[in-house]
Short mmCIF file of all heavy atoms in Angstrom, two decimals:
data_model
loop_
_atom_site.label_atom_id
_atom_site.label_comp_id
_atom_site.label_asym_id
_atom_site.label_seq_id
_atom_site.Cartn_x
_atom_site.Cartn_y
_atom_site.Cartn_z
N SER I 54 35.87 5.97 -4.53
CA SER I 54 35.77 6.54 -3.11
C SER I 54 34.53 6.10 -2.49
O SER I 54 34.54 5.67 -1.30
CB SER I 54 35.88 8.03 -3.12
OG SER I 54 35.62 8.56 -1.85
N LEU I 55 33.42 6.14 -3.20
CA LEU I 55 32.07 5.74 -2.61
C LEU I 55 32.06 4.25 -2.19
O LEU I 55 31.64 3.81 -1.20
CB LEU I 55 30.94 6.01 -3.62
CG LEU I 55 30.49 7.44 -3.84
CD1 LEU I 55 29.51 7.57 -4.88
CD2 LEU I 55 29.85 7.94 -2.43
N LYS I 56 32.67 3.36 -3.15
CA LYS I 56 32.76 2.00 -2.90
C LYS I 56 33.46 1.64 -1.60
O LYS I 56 33.06 0.86 -0.80
CB LYS I 56 33.44 1.34 -4.10
CG LYS I 56 32.58 0.86 -5.22
CD LYS I 56 33.30 0.08 -6.24
CE LYS I 56 32.40 -0.37 -7.34
NZ LYS I 56 33.15 -1.24 -8.36
N PHE I 57 34.56 2.43 -1.32
CA PHE I 57 35.44 2.24 -0.18
C PHE I 57 34.71 2.73 1.06
O PHE I 57 34.69 2.08 2.12
CB PHE I 57 36.74 2.98 -0.34
CG PHE I 57 37.61 2.91 0.87
CD1 PHE I 57 38.35 1.78 1.16
CD2 PHE I 57 37.69 4.02 1.68
CE1 PHE I 57 39.07 1.67 2.25
CE2 PHE I 57 38.56 4.00 2.85
CZ PHE I 57 39.21 2.80 3.12
N ARG I 58 33.98 3.87 0.92
CA ARG I 58 33.35 4.54 2.11
C ARG I 58 32.14 3.98 2.63
O ARG I 58 31.71 4.04 3.80
CB ARG I 58 33.18 6.03 1.88
CG ARG I 58 34.50 6.73 1.68
CD ARG I 58 34.36 8.22 1.38
NE ARG I 58 33.93 8.89 2.54
CZ ARG I 58 33.69 10.29 2.60
NH1 ARG I 58 33.98 10.97 1.47
NH2 ARG I 58 33.31 10.87 3.71
N VAL I 59 31.31 3.31 1.74
CA VAL I 59 30.01 2.82 2.10
C VAL I 59 29.92 1.32 2.46
O VAL I 59 28.95 0.82 2.77
CB VAL I 59 28.97 3.10 1.01
CG1 VAL I 59 28.85 4.60 0.70
CG2 VAL I 59 29.26 2.33 -0.36
N LYS I 60 31.19 0.68 2.49
CA LYS I 60 31.18 -0.69 2.80
C LYS I 60 30.62 -1.07 4.22
O LYS I 60 30.05 -2.06 4.44
CB LYS I 60 32.59 -1.21 2.85
CG LYS I 60 33.25 -1.48 1.44
CD LYS I 60 34.68 -1.92 1.54
CE LYS I 60 35.20 -2.24 0.18
NZ LYS I 60 36.62 -2.63 0.20
N LYS I 61 30.74 -0.05 5.11
CA LYS I 61 30.28 -0.27 6.55
C LYS I 61 28.85 -0.08 6.71
O LYS I 61 28.33 -0.41 7.73
CB LYS I 61 31.07 0.61 7.40
CG LYS I 61 30.81 2.25 7.13
CD LYS I 61 31.65 3.09 7.97
CE LYS I 61 31.54 4.55 7.58
NZ LYS I 61 32.38 5.44 8.36
N PHE I 62 28.11 0.31 5.71
CA PHE I 62 26.66 0.63 5.88
C PHE I 62 25.83 -0.63 5.55
O PHE I 62 25.82 -1.13 4.36
CB PHE I 62 26.23 1.79 4.99
CG PHE I 62 26.97 3.05 5.36
CD1 PHE I 62 27.37 4.00 4.38
CD2 PHE I 62 27.10 3.47 6.68
CE1 PHE I 62 27.90 5.12 4.58
CE2 PHE I 62 27.74 4.69 6.99
CZ PHE I 62 28.15 5.45 5.98
N HIS I 63 25.09 -1.15 6.66
CA HIS I 63 24.21 -2.32 6.35
C HIS I 63 22.84 -2.04 6.88
O HIS I 63 21.93 -2.95 6.69
CB HIS I 63 24.80 -3.55 7.01
CG HIS I 63 26.18 -3.95 6.50
ND1 HIS I 63 27.33 -3.50 6.97
CD2 HIS I 63 26.49 -4.65 5.42
CE1 HIS I 63 28.42 -4.04 6.33
NE2 HIS I 63 27.88 -4.74 5.36
N ASN I 64 22.56 -0.96 7.59
CA ASN I 64 21.26 -0.65 7.95
C ASN I 64 21.07 0.95 8.08
O ASN I 64 22.00 1.68 7.90
CB ASN I 64 20.97 -1.24 9.37
CG ASN I 64 21.93 -0.90 10.42
OD1 ASN I 64 22.20 0.32 10.65
ND2 ASN I 64 22.49 -1.83 11.15
N ILE I 65 19.82 1.35 8.28
CA ILE I 65 19.50 2.82 8.28
C ILE I 65 20.27 3.47 9.42
O ILE I 65 20.73 4.69 9.26
CB ILE I 65 18.01 3.00 8.43
CG1 ILE I 65 17.28 2.28 7.29
CG2 ILE I 65 17.68 4.49 8.36
CD1 ILE I 65 17.64 2.74 5.82
N GLU I 66 20.30 2.92 10.58
CA GLU I 66 20.81 3.57 11.78
C GLU I 66 22.32 3.90 11.47
O GLU I 66 22.84 4.92 11.88
CB GLU I 66 20.80 2.64 13.00
CG GLU I 66 21.26 3.32 14.25
CD GLU I 66 21.13 2.51 15.42
OE1 GLU I 66 20.84 1.25 15.44
OE2 GLU I 66 21.44 3.02 16.59
N GLN I 67 23.03 3.01 10.95
CA GLN I 67 24.49 3.27 10.51
C GLN I 67 24.59 4.52 9.70
O GLN I 67 25.46 5.29 9.78
CB GLN I 67 25.08 1.99 9.93
CG GLN I 67 25.31 0.91 10.85
CD GLN I 67 25.71 -0.36 10.15
OE1 GLN I 67 25.50 -0.58 8.91
NE2 GLN I 67 26.28 -1.31 10.87
N ILE I 68 23.68 4.66 8.63
CA ILE I 68 23.70 5.80 7.76
C ILE I 68 23.38 7.12 8.55
O ILE I 68 24.11 8.12 8.38
CB ILE I 68 22.65 5.59 6.58
CG1 ILE I 68 23.06 4.48 5.72
CG2 ILE I 68 22.50 6.94 5.87
CD1 ILE I 68 22.11 4.04 4.73
N GLN I 69 22.34 6.98 9.51
CA GLN I 69 21.98 8.17 10.22
C GLN I 69 23.12 8.59 11.07
O GLN I 69 23.32 9.86 11.46
CB GLN I 69 20.75 7.88 11.02
CG GLN I 69 19.55 7.68 10.18
CD GLN I 69 18.43 8.75 10.41
OE1 GLN I 69 17.94 8.90 11.42
NE2 GLN I 69 18.10 9.44 9.32
N ILE I 70 23.81 7.77 11.75
CA ILE I 70 24.93 8.09 12.64
C ILE I 70 26.04 8.78 11.89
O ILE I 70 26.62 9.76 12.33
CB ILE I 70 25.54 6.83 13.30
CG1 ILE I 70 24.58 6.24 14.27
CG2 ILE I 70 26.95 7.13 13.91
CD1 ILE I 70 24.94 4.95 14.93
N GLU I 71 26.24 8.37 10.63
CA GLU I 71 27.21 9.01 9.68
C GLU I 71 26.72 10.46 9.37
O GLU I 71 27.55 11.42 9.35
CB GLU I 71 27.50 8.22 8.49
CG GLU I 71 28.66 8.64 7.61
CD GLU I 71 30.02 8.32 8.33
OE1 GLU I 71 30.02 7.51 9.22
OE2 GLU I 71 30.99 8.97 7.82
N VAL I 72 25.49 10.50 9.07
CA VAL I 72 24.90 11.79 8.70
C VAL I 72 24.95 12.77 9.91
O VAL I 72 25.35 13.98 9.73
CB VAL I 72 23.44 11.76 8.36
CG1 VAL I 72 22.76 13.05 8.17
CG2 VAL I 72 23.22 11.03 6.92
N ALA I 73 24.78 12.24 11.15
CA ALA I 73 24.98 13.13 12.31
C ALA I 73 26.35 13.60 12.51
O ALA I 73 26.55 14.84 12.90
CB ALA I 73 24.61 12.23 13.55
N LYS I 74 27.30 12.84 12.22
CA LYS I 74 28.69 13.31 12.23
C LYS I 74 28.97 14.48 11.25
O LYS I 74 29.58 15.55 11.56
CB LYS I 74 29.66 12.14 11.88
CG LYS I 74 29.84 11.08 12.90
CD LYS I 74 30.73 9.98 12.35
CE LYS I 74 30.73 8.74 13.26
NZ LYS I 74 31.59 7.61 12.70
N TYR I 75 28.39 14.33 10.01
CA TYR I 75 28.44 15.35 9.05
C TYR I 75 27.85 16.62 9.49
O TYR I 75 28.36 17.76 9.35
CB TYR I 75 27.96 14.92 7.75
CG TYR I 75 27.87 16.00 6.67
CD1 TYR I 75 29.04 16.42 5.97
CD2 TYR I 75 26.70 16.55 6.29
CE1 TYR I 75 29.00 17.31 5.07
CE2 TYR I 75 26.63 17.55 5.34
CZ TYR I 75 27.74 17.91 4.77
OH TYR I 75 27.75 18.97 3.73
N LEU I 76 26.69 16.44 10.15
CA LEU I 76 25.84 17.64 10.61
C LEU I 76 26.71 18.42 11.69
O LEU I 76 26.67 19.66 11.71
CB LEU I 76 24.58 17.20 11.20
CG LEU I 76 23.34 17.30 10.27
CD1 LEU I 76 22.07 16.78 10.91
CD2 LEU I 76 23.11 18.76 9.79
N HIS I 77 27.25 17.71 12.63
CA HIS I 77 28.12 18.29 13.61
C HIS I 77 29.19 19.15 13.02
O HIS I 77 29.36 20.29 13.44
CB HIS I 77 28.71 17.27 14.64
CG HIS I 77 27.82 16.72 15.61
ND1 HIS I 77 27.28 17.52 16.73
CD2 HIS I 77 27.22 15.55 15.77
CE1 HIS I 77 26.51 16.77 17.42
NE2 HIS I 77 26.39 15.58 16.92
N HIS I 78 29.85 18.60 12.07
CA HIS I 78 30.96 19.38 11.30
C HIS I 78 30.37 20.62 10.65
O HIS I 78 30.90 21.59 10.60
CB HIS I 78 31.61 18.36 10.42
CG HIS I 78 32.63 19.06 9.45
ND1 HIS I 78 33.86 19.30 9.95
CD2 HIS I 78 32.64 19.34 8.14
CE1 HIS I 78 34.58 19.84 8.99
NE2 HIS I 78 33.78 19.85 7.90
N LEU I 79 29.17 20.34 9.91
CA LEU I 79 28.59 21.37 9.13
C LEU I 79 28.08 22.53 10.08
O LEU I 79 28.47 23.75 9.70
CB LEU I 79 27.36 20.89 8.45
CG LEU I 79 26.65 21.74 7.52
CD1 LEU I 79 27.30 21.76 6.12
CD2 LEU I 79 25.18 21.26 7.28
N ILE I 80 27.62 22.29 11.20
CA ILE I 80 27.13 23.36 12.01
C ILE I 80 28.38 24.13 12.69
O ILE I 80 28.26 25.38 12.80
CB ILE I 80 26.23 22.65 13.16
CG1 ILE I 80 24.88 22.30 12.66
CG2 ILE I 80 26.10 23.69 14.36
CD1 ILE I 80 24.01 21.40 13.59
N LYS I 81 29.39 23.42 12.97
CA LYS I 81 30.61 23.98 13.58
C LYS I 81 31.17 25.04 12.60
O LYS I 81 31.71 26.01 12.87
CB LYS I 81 31.60 22.98 13.81
CG LYS I 81 32.92 23.49 14.41
CD LYS I 81 33.89 22.42 14.80
CE LYS I 81 35.26 23.03 15.36
NZ LYS I 81 36.15 21.95 15.67
N ASN I 82 31.05 24.68 11.23
CA ASN I 82 31.66 25.54 10.24
C ASN I 82 30.79 26.52 9.59
O ASN I 82 31.29 27.51 8.92
CB ASN I 82 32.32 24.53 9.09
CG ASN I 82 33.47 23.84 9.47
OD1 ASN I 82 34.63 24.40 9.61
ND2 ASN I 82 33.37 22.56 9.82
N SER I 83 29.51 26.33 9.66
CA SER I 83 28.55 27.30 9.01
C SER I 83 27.63 28.10 9.92
O SER I 83 26.84 28.84 9.43
CB SER I 83 27.69 26.52 7.93
OG SER I 83 26.77 25.71 8.56
#
Side-chain angles (χ1 to χ4, degrees):
S54 176
L55 284 174
K56 275 186 175 179
F57 176 76
R58 295 179 69 175
V59 302
K60 283 180 181 177
K61 59 185 176 183
F62 297 138
H63 298 93
N64 58 51
I65 302 298
E66 185 180 5
Q67 290 170 338
I68 294 172
Q69 291 245 300
I70 290 171
E71 192 70 18
V72 170
K74 290 178 188 175
Y75 173 73
L76 261 178
H77 282 290
H78 175 76
L79 187 79
I80 287 167
K81 183 179 178 181
N82 288 282
S83 71

